[in-house]
Amino acid sequence: QVQLVESGGGLVQAGGSLRLSCAASGRTFNSHHTMAWFRQAPGKEREFVAAIGWSGGSTTYADSVKGRFTVSRDNAKNTAYLQMNSLKPEDTALYYCATSQYWTRNTYNYGRWGQGTQVTVSS
């Protein structure tokens, strides 16, 4: 069973930065899978933020974070990262990492999810 554990969330002022981590473990974890970040704000649907392919050579971002967020991964550590710069109050949400055997932005194609880490950006 794959387990994903996010960390690094917190409270930050607008314009600040945070770095989220997602550590994967479990006998069935496949480092060849896509790893992605999603977020969900209160009263809103979960939305795609960023994804990275197994080699790290392919990345894709939601338009709302492009140029501000950077996704990366270290397969030796089974860990994915989300560097978030120039944070805005509208980035406030619970951030989740997830894995998929597909290269996709579709929430429904991600079968393994972490519990989430809260990011709050004050104005």
Side-chain angles (χ1 to χ4, degrees):
Q1 189 80 344
V2 174
Q3 289 187 322
L4 302 175
V5 179
E6 302 95 336
S7 61
L11 174 63
V12 64
Q13 289 188 331
S17 298
L18 283 173
R19 188 193 194 205
L20 306 183
S21 298
C22 171
S25 62
R27 292 174 57 189
T28 57
F29 175 70
N30 188 335
S31 62
H32 284 64
H33 283 183
T34 298
M35 295 187 77
W37 292 92
F38 293 79
R39 66 187 182 186
Q40 187 167 18
K44 295 188 176 181
E45 292 187 354
R46 191 171 298 186
E47 64 174 359
F48 171 81
V49 175
I52 185 165
W54 72 271
S55 69
S58 298
T59 58
T60 185
Y61 298 91
D63 288 344
S64 60
V65 306
K66 199 173 295 183
R68 300 188 297 122
F69 291 9
T70 302
V71 61
S72 61
R73 66 190 292 169
D74 184 339
N75 286 339
K77 297 181 179 179
N78 288 342
T79 300
Y81 305 95
L82 185 67
Q83 178 66 44
M84 305 185 296
N85 299 329
S86 302
L87 282 162
K88 305 175 181 180
E90 51 264 43
D91 293 318
T92 294
L94 189 60
Y95 283 69
Y96 299 89
C97 70
T99 64
S100 174
Q101 62 181 312
Y102 306 108
W103 177 244
T104 178
R105 296 182 171 205
N106 192 327
T107 305
Y108 297 104
N109 290 137
Y110 285 82
R112 303 294 183 186
W113 294 84
Q115 294 300 307
T117 184
Q118 179 67 38
V119 172
T120 302
V121 184
S122 62
S123 57

